Amino acid sequence: MTENPFFKPSSLVYELPPFAAIRPEHYLPAYERGMAEQLAEIAAITADPQPPTVDNTLVALERSGELLRRVDAVFRNQSASDTSELVDEVDAEVSPLLAAHHDAIHLDRALFARIEELYGRRAELGLDPESLRLLETRHIRFVRSGARLGEAEQARLRGLNAELAALGTTFQQNVNAATKAAALVVDTAEELDGLSADAVAAAAENARVLGHEGRFVLSLKSTSGQPELALLTDRSVRERLLAASLGRGAAVNGPLAIRMAALRAERAALLGHPSHAAYVVEDETAGTVEAVSGLLARLVGPAVANARREAAELAKVAAADGIEEIAAHDWAYYSEKVRQESYQVDAAVLRPYFELERVLHDGVFLAAKLAYGLTFTERPDLTAYHPDARVFEVFEEDGGSLGLFIGDFHARASKRGGAWMDELVGQSGLTGRRPVVLNNLNIARPAPGEPVLLAWDEVRTLFHEFGHALHGLFSDVRYPLFAGTAVPRDFVEFPSQVNEMWMVRPEVVASYARHHVTGEPLPAALVERMVAAEGFGEGFRTVEYLAATLLDWAWHTVPQGGEIEDAEEFEARVLAEAGIAVPAIPPRYRTAYFQHIFSSGYSAGYYAYIWSEVLDADTVQWFEGNGRPVRESGELFRRELLARGFSRDPLESFRAVVGRAPEIGPLLARRGLV
């Protein structure tokens, strides 16, 4: 296929992939050639008769696999944001091939011998700090990938990795299918009483697109809770919606979860660890299973107590409707009533103040300008991977170019649920590449001609994901291995969580929170009440998050040979034993649709959000109280942390900003746990 657009570097600005020329049939040939080319490059490294050096071994390894990098970045994004039957077929075929390719490199004895020789002489090589870190990081990753295992053990490891890769792809495809199939279809607008007129119109448009003309469809978000639960007045509709959400994928993905947990436990034992969690956390900032378990145990009791206090408040309001006991499908609805009555905050009244374009330009982009001096220019002349995806060029304060940002904000049938950041082109000092990053969200598309109005949580998500984008855009390292968000899982959420602080900064919220018809600003007093009302819901949010985290931890602390017969029974037992089985608060993710841990790289790592929030809460307090101008603080945060990626110990980067080790106090105060 001489016309395959992946076979040569893109000639577009910032090496933006030539999406107008890319078709699904290009992927598999590009993958096959890309893997073959990289293996040939590895063979050239190992065949070099010269003694190993950083340049002829490590730097050569960093430069290898350019074609594979190009195709994998584009395909990984398409399989998540704009999939199709053909793309799913390629994904199923390629996933085990990529696992085998990873093993072919990391289990190459000749390559590892060169790296190990360099590692043994590292003290005498006179390396600069980033090159020394490259050597040490590559060495430990080869060891953790099985480079020191015997032939039989390596053969078994290859089999485990291939099967896990295939199962992870199947799990994700099952979730996508189950989520679409479980969408709630109702016959009349009356059943959606409580939703705003624009939300009802969006449900009608969604029904039309999905082939239910004349009806109304509420498509499911990735989480257990659905945003409409806070507004629907019909209790039976709320019950149906939550049941659809909680029941997705159980029959097909429960057995897959059991199999994947067993395979991961076996692999961990093969590599010398008592559990998959022990294997994973060794390479994170947490370091040990005990550190993570200790943090979670410390939080469970106060979180449940906080949630019970909230439940008592809800029960008082629900009693007026004749409801004797709050059920899971009631919690969000009566929480919204409490917010309205106690804090005078009405979600339906707020939505007209959060129009997408204004939030994006006068909120998210404005905050980036205030803190970092950035400006953004939309580039309609550049084609992205889907008509919904918009390309923006990003400029420094002095007018210099930084990279490209792609925003893909709307839900569609071909996109998986949730929100995420990804890179199409990663920054590299070796090659001079500058970053091309993207954000995907799942905001419901309104009826034609209507504005895109956001819920408060969607505003938060927009700021959060853009924090990841900034992490990628600001990368300034020599070696691709360290670029952008290539940091430990329990650190990567930290910068994105910090970026949420801007959504309620007075100078930012006053700019973006304006009524889309009248232009009137959201009253400052209402913003204050919104922040206070959020404090009321911290018990619920912490419990649902911890429940999901403890599920992840339980699945992955099971040792090799630990028998799990039924996923749902295991789930119920784990929550009960942890003391967090609150019937009215389901886990944020149940096992069968927990893509983070079974198909998205967060296995034994979902604790990362709360671990990162320790750093986040501490840093927000530093931003607000260090006495520096915002622009000066932003520049320090960028230079010492965001730009450094994994080129040094992330906690060292934190200390370079804040001036000390992180403290848990600000997190406990934020979460209402003190």
Side-chain angles (χ1 to χ4, degrees):
M1 295 183 68
T2 57
E3 298 303 314
N4 193 312
F6 290 113
F7 286 173
K8 59 183 178 180
S10 171
S11 61
L12 296 175
V13 62
Y14 303 97
E15 297 186 31
L16 177 72
F19 289 110
I22 295 171
R23 300 189 303 276
E25 56 264 32
H26 293 137
Y27 288 124
L28 190 56
Y31 266 120
E32 290 172 341
R33 181 183 291 192
M35 287 185 277
E37 283 186 4
Q38 187 170 31
L39 291 180
E41 290 163 341
I42 300 300
I45 294 172
T46 60
D48 189 339
Q50 297 299 315
T53 66
V54 169
D55 283 339
N56 71 18
T57 301
L58 293 174
V59 174
L61 181 57
E62 286 292 286
R63 291 185 181 276
S64 70
E66 281 296 298
L67 170 55
L68 183 58
R69 176 197 61 77
R70 289 196 297 271
V71 63
D72 191 53
V74 174
F75 180 77
R76 186 177 62 242
N77 177 63
Q78 179 158 7
S79 66
S81 63
D82 189 26
T83 194
S84 65
E85 186 174 339
L86 180 56
V87 170
D88 283 349
E89 290 173 1
V90 174
D91 200 5
E93 184 170 355
V94 164
S95 292
L97 295 179
L98 287 173
H101 181 70
H102 177 275
D103 287 340
I105 295 172
H106 288 82
L107 301 181
D108 185 315
R109 295 192 183 280
L111 179 60
F112 179 61
R114 295 177 72 89
I115 294 173
E116 186 142 57
E117 181 181 335
L118 286 170
Y119 183 76
R121 296 191 293 112
R122 64 191 182 281
E124 62 192 57
L125 296 177
L127 300 178
D128 63 86
E130 189 173 342
S131 296
L132 176 60
R133 187 165 177 83
L134 177 67
L135 172 55
E136 293 173 340
T137 303
R138 279 293 185 193
H139 182 265
I140 190 62
R141 291 189 182 180
F142 269 72
V143 172
R144 285 173 55 78
S145 296
R148 287 179 172 164
L149 296 178
E151 292 291 342
E153 289 82 3
Q154 285 191 355
R156 178 55 184 154
L157 182 63
R158 292 174 194 267
L160 290 169
N161 288 338
E163 186 176 355
L164 280 165
L167 290 174
T169 298
T170 301
F171 189 97
Q172 177 173 314
Q173 292 178 357
N174 287 347
V175 172
N176 291 345
T179 299
K180 293 173 190 174
L184 182 66
V185 182
V186 299
D187 295 320
T188 67
E190 288 72 23
E191 293 172 275
L192 301 183
D193 180 61
L195 300 189
S196 64
D198 67 283
V200 174
E205 173 66 9
N206 194 28
R208 185 192 65 77
V209 170
L210 296 176
H212 299 282
E213 188 79 43
R215 303 172 81 188
F216 303 83
V217 174
L218 299 179
S219 291
L220 299 182
K221 305 296 189 294
S222 62
T223 51
S224 294
Q226 302 298 311
E228 296 85 359
L229 292 171
L231 301 169
L232 291 164
T233 62
D234 188 323
R235 195 182 190 210
S236 65
V237 175
R238 296 201 305 269
E239 185 173 13
R240 287 167 55 200
L241 179 60
L242 184 59
S245 181
L246 296 177
R248 304 169 255 177
V252 288
N253 274 352
L256 284 187
I258 292 171
R259 177 63 178 164
M260 292 181 74
L263 293 175
R264 287 169 174 169
E266 182 183 351
R267 181 175 61 185
L270 192 63
L271 293 167
H273 297 273
S275 67
H276 180 69
Y279 169 77
V280 168
V281 80
E282 179 190 62
D283 203 36
E284 305 292 329
T285 65
T288 66
V289 168
E290 291 73 22
V292 176
S293 297
L295 174 67
L296 300 180
R298 179 176 179 179
L299 297 177
V300 167
V304 171
N306 196 1
R308 285 176 177 155
R309 288 192 293 271
E310 292 175 2
E313 292 296 313
L314 303 185
K316 295 175 185 176
V317 180
D321 291 341
I323 295 176
E324 296 181 1
E325 184 175 355
I326 293 287
H329 52 270
D330 296 319
W331 192 291
Y333 180 75
Y334 286 103
S335 289
E336 186 60 29
K337 282 188 170 292
V338 168
R339 290 189 183 96
Q340 290 180 28
E341 294 179 8
S342 300
Y343 301 96
Q344 292 81 55
V345 172
D346 185 339
V349 171
L350 292 173
R351 283 177 67 91
Y353 290 90
F354 305 135
E355 190 270 324
L356 173 61
E357 289 304 300
R358 186 139 209 164
V359 175
L360 179 66
H361 288 275
D362 298 340
V364 174
F365 289 171
L366 173 65
K369 182 176 184 179
L370 293 175
Y372 309 111
L374 301 186
T375 55
F376 300 80
T377 300
E378 189 155 8
R379 293 288 304 270
D381 57 308
L382 297 178
T383 301
Y385 54 87
H386 188 278
D388 286 351
R390 301 156 59 187
V391 183
F392 299 84
E393 189 167 7
V394 188
F395 295 96
E396 300 276 18
E397 192 169 36
D398 63 3
S401 55
L402 180 61
L404 294 179
F405 167 71
I406 298 175
D408 184 357
F409 304 118
H410 289 294
R412 52 181 173 267
S414 62
K415 183 191 286 191
R416 70 173 170 86
W420 65 95
M421 170 267 186
D422 211 339
E423 288 183 342
L424 293 171
V425 180
Q427 181 268 331
S428 169
L430 280 180
T431 64
R433 283 196 306 265
R434 287 176 291 177
V436 178
V437 304
L438 62 95
N439 280 168
N440 261 290
L441 277 72
N442 267 279
I443 300 167
R445 190 184 303 279
E450 294 299 314
V452 182
L453 303 180
L454 307 183
W456 182 240
D457 282 346
E458 290 173 324
V459 174
R460 183 184 307 282
T461 300
L462 198 61
F463 277 87
H464 176 98
E465 295 304 331
F466 194 73
H468 286 305
L470 290 173
H471 202 175
L473 286 166
F474 286 150
S475 180
D476 187 16
V477 299
R478 187 184 320 160
Y479 302 117
L481 185 68
F482 298 144
T485 58
V487 295
R489 285 290 185 191
D490 59 7
F491 191 85
V492 74
E493 296 299 334
F494 157 48
S496 56
Q497 289 169 332
V498 167
N499 205 60
E500 295 176 21
M501 67 181 265
W502 302 109
M503 68 182 288
V504 293
R505 288 275 295 205
E507 67 271 39
V508 178
V509 73
S511 177
Y512 77 79
R514 291 179 174 270
H515 198 283
H516 74 98
V517 175
T518 67
E520 289 296 313
L522 186 67
L526 183 53
V527 176
E528 294 173 2
R529 294 201 300 272
M530 288 164 59
V531 173
E534 283 197 317
F536 169 76
E538 283 295 353
F540 174 89
R541 284 189 291 272
T542 306
V543 167
E544 70 156 4
Y545 166 76
L546 287 175
T549 302
L550 289 162
L551 278 180
D552 171 32
W553 207 237
W555 278 110
H556 294 115
T557 50
V558 173
Q560 182 181 14
E563 299 262 343
I564 301 173
E565 296 183 358
D566 181 272
E568 293 189 271
E569 289 179 2
F570 176 76
E571 185 176 291
R573 176 167 55 81
V574 165
L575 297 178
E577 290 177 353
I580 204 163
V582 181
I585 307 180
R588 183 168 177 81
Y589 298 98
R590 294 193 66 195
T591 296
Y593 48 90
F594 207 163
Q595 293 184 86
H596 281 77
I597 68 170
F598 289 112
S599 60
S600 296
Y602 273 77
S603 60
Y606 197 64
Y607 78 90
Y609 289 91
I610 199 81
W611 191 271
S612 295
E613 196 179 343
V614 173
L615 309 179
D616 154 38
D618 210 357
T619 301
V620 169
Q621 184 171 283
W622 170 83
F623 255 107
E624 294 172 345
N626 64 32
R628 295 183 174 93
V630 167
R631 183 71 183 83
E632 184 180 326
S633 295
E635 192 60 32
L636 178 60
F637 189 60
R638 170 183 177 171
R639 183 181 68 249
E640 293 293 344
L641 194 142
L642 298 177
R644 301 299 293 268
F646 198 50
S647 65
R648 70 177 177 191
D649 180 348
L651 291 181
E652 183 181 335
S653 295
F654 175 89
R655 287 190 290 270
V657 173
V658 178
R660 54 167 172 75
E663 298 175 354
I664 197 173
L667 167 70
L668 298 177
R670 173 193 287 182
R671 290 260 178 177
L673 303 179
V674 289

